[in-house]
Amino acid sequence: MDTSKPHVLLVDDDPRIAEATRLALIKGGYAVTYAQSAEQALEVLKQEVPDAAVLDVMMPGMDGYALCRQMRKMPTTRLIPVIMLTARGKLEDKVSGFQAGADDYLVKPAEPRELIYRLKALLARIHARQDLYKPIGAAGKLIAVFSTKGGVGKTTLAVNLAMAFQKRNVGRVALFDANLTFGETGSLLNVPPVRSILDLVKTESEIDNYIVSQVMTRHSSGVHLLASPFRPEHSELICADHIRKVAELLPTVFSVVVVDCEASYSERMFVILERADAILLVVIPEIGSVLHTSYFLEMAEKIGVNPERIFPVLNRANSKVGLSATDIERTFKRPLSLKVPSSGRALTQCANSGNPLVLAQPRHPVSQQLLKVADYFVEHLGVSEPEPEWVD
């Protein structure tokens, strides 16, 4: 095997098509290992690890989807680029390929030049991401957005706060969806469900910045998203130790990490709250939300969370529902750090379009408030200086 060339594993049960594809890859500058079945490919992968794989879907025995899923479970191959080749061109077939873990999908007969181009693009992206996710010079800041109950606008505030930091050009910004059961950040950003934190915990390898780089998705704004599992039942596969490793690693790679927390008192959430440099505690002017938030403030002090790291945020502050900001401050025995007005139809429209309010309407009162929050934390938490411009 010529180690000076990128190494591709080609798996196809049709020798005629496989030979044509193999020759095209060789002509394109790749070294190729050929396997005629998924079972044979798995044996090859025990001996050598390619830089990329091209898999046929329709094969006797184990098909390409199953092979791709097996590769994603293997520590040595779970992150290599995979292109699926198939005669099936329907949308549901492509979705099945992506769900199995494929990075790209080509319908047969594939034009050789297109295959070569897509392989080069995938490999270039992988190599670029390795460089782009190198640790930053100073430790970044982790800001947890937490609430004691759902339906208070926590996720919307977390998403838009991440966008506010990005607009302030503070360096690399990450958004970690730690609402592990019913996370919604991906849908609010219109990010396709391809990778999630579940891909991290499936590996037997140590979680490091390279592995994290492969499962994060860069939004068009520049913010990088670590998504929650796409199915609620998969959240149980993630333990507190996984969360601890992620919460410790992300601030070494990003200047700011905004975490959308789950509204629970689970050990997984306490790991984040204990690690956070700041906790935005979201409450709305409803008696249930206020009381439960008051209980949390009492409990947080008992478990050793520094009260100075907690910033109570009153969302929908201009709602005239008989419970004023003064009433809430009296209950909390401390002032509110921020009062965010209701945004009404604008916020709903932005959520449905996958375009956060801070980006779509930066002059909106809610956007202006969150930009001020970003400015506050930049000044008082010592957020890292911007890195040179980089491209994903």
Side-chain angles (χ1 to χ4, degrees):
M1 180 64 63
D2 186 348
T3 57
S4 66
K5 297 179 179 180
H7 177 196
V8 177
L9 172 64
L10 172 63
V11 188
D12 196 322
D13 68 316
D14 187 325
R16 181 181 59 82
I17 295 178
E19 180 63 12
T21 306
R22 187 183 74 85
L23 291 175
L25 290 170
I26 291 174
K27 186 177 180 180
Y30 296 92
V32 182
T33 297
Y34 170 58
Q36 198 167 354
S37 68
E39 291 79 6
Q40 184 182 352
L42 289 173
E43 290 301 316
V44 170
L45 291 171
K46 292 178 182 178
Q47 306 299 323
E48 56 189 50
V49 179
D51 296 295
V54 177
L55 312 180
D56 183 31
V57 171
M58 300 301 295
M59 294 185 289
M62 182 185 295
D63 64 15
Y65 297 143
L67 173 58
C68 189
R69 284 192 289 269
Q70 287 296 317
M71 291 174 64
R72 292 311 184 208
K73 293 178 182 178
M74 298 167 61
T76 55
T77 62
R78 64 182 310 276
L79 297 175
I80 68 171
V82 173
I83 294 180
M84 305 288 278
L85 294 179
T86 181
R88 296 177 171 179
K90 294 182 179 179
L91 176 60
E92 55 265 32
D93 298 316
K94 294 182 180 181
V95 170
S96 296
F98 290 128
Q99 288 178 336
D103 297 280
D104 207 344
Y105 197 101
L106 277 175
V107 178
K108 289 182 175 181
E111 167 62 43
R113 287 181 299 175
E114 183 178 8
L115 174 60
I116 297 300
Y117 171 79
R118 295 202 185 196
L119 262 178
K120 286 183 178 179
L122 281 173
L123 288 170
R125 193 177 305 142
I126 291 296
H127 294 150
R129 289 172 77 89
Q130 291 180 37
D131 293 333
L132 297 174
Y133 282 81
K134 287 180 179 178
I136 57 178
K141 302 302 179 182
L142 190 145
I143 299 175
V145 184
F146 181 77
S147 66
T148 57
K149 66 187 294 290
V152 301
K154 169 184 60 62
T155 296
T156 300
L157 290 178
V159 168
N160 281 279
L161 180 60
M163 298 300 142
F165 278 114
Q166 185 67 27
K167 285 182 72 69
R168 289 311 193 222
N169 191 31
V170 298
R172 305 176 190 169
V173 178
L175 175 61
F176 173 22
D177 191 344
N179 190 349
L180 302 171
T181 307
F182 297 110
E184 296 180 344
T185 57
S187 60
L188 291 180
L189 293 174
N190 197 24
V191 171
V194 178
R195 297 282 186 269
S196 77
I197 188 176
L198 192 63
D199 293 287
L200 286 181
V201 305
K202 284 180 178 178
T203 182
E204 297 175 8
S205 304
E206 185 68 22
I207 296 176
D208 58 21
N209 62 304
Y210 170 68
I211 292 178
V212 168
S213 76
Q214 303 309 303
V215 302
M216 296 191 78
T217 304
R218 190 184 186 207
H219 184 255
S220 58
S221 65
V223 171
H224 287 252
L225 172 66
L226 179 57
S228 61
F230 307 126
R231 297 186 63 86
E233 64 269 23
H234 291 161
S235 68
E236 298 302 319
L237 300 175
I238 302 167
C239 68
D241 192 48
H242 294 136
I243 299 297
R244 181 176 293 105
K245 290 178 180 178
V246 172
E248 290 174 351
L249 178 66
L250 289 181
T252 70
V253 180
F254 294 92
S255 299
V256 179
V257 181
V258 178
V259 186
D260 180 26
C261 296
E262 207 165 60
S264 74
Y265 289 161
S266 68
E267 184 183 0
R268 299 180 301 189
M269 291 305 104
F270 277 121
V271 165
I272 294 172
L273 297 178
E274 290 170 355
R275 169 62 183 79
D277 297 287
I279 301 169
L280 267 62
L281 184 59
V282 185
V283 60
I284 57 175
E286 292 181 0
I287 189 65
S289 176
V290 172
L291 287 178
H292 285 291
T293 302
S294 178
Y295 298 152
F296 171 80
L297 287 169
E298 294 176 7
M299 181 186 64
E301 189 171 354
K302 291 178 182 178
I303 65 175
V305 177
N306 187 343
E308 294 183 1
R309 292 195 289 117
I310 301 177
F311 299 82
V313 176
L314 177 60
N315 197 19
R316 304 167 195 166
N318 56 344
S319 301
K320 300 187 182 301
V321 291
L323 196 58
S324 69
T326 302
D327 296 329
I328 295 171
E329 290 176 329
R330 189 180 301 115
T331 302
F332 291 171
K333 299 177 183 178
R334 60 180 294 170
L336 291 162
S337 302
L338 179 68
K339 301 169 187 176
V340 180
S342 297
S343 50
R345 181 180 298 177
L347 198 62
T348 302
Q349 289 175 335
C350 288
N352 290 338
S353 65
N355 190 16
L357 188 68
V358 166
L359 299 183
Q361 300 184 35
R363 296 186 180 278
H364 191 282
V366 172
S367 300
Q368 289 296 305
Q369 284 280 53
L370 291 173
L371 287 165
K372 289 178 181 177
V373 173
D375 291 337
Y376 175 86
F377 286 130
V378 168
E379 179 182 354
H380 293 276
L381 288 184
V383 172
S384 303
E385 290 298 314
E387 297 275 322
E389 185 65 23
W390 49 285
V391 180
D392 191 1

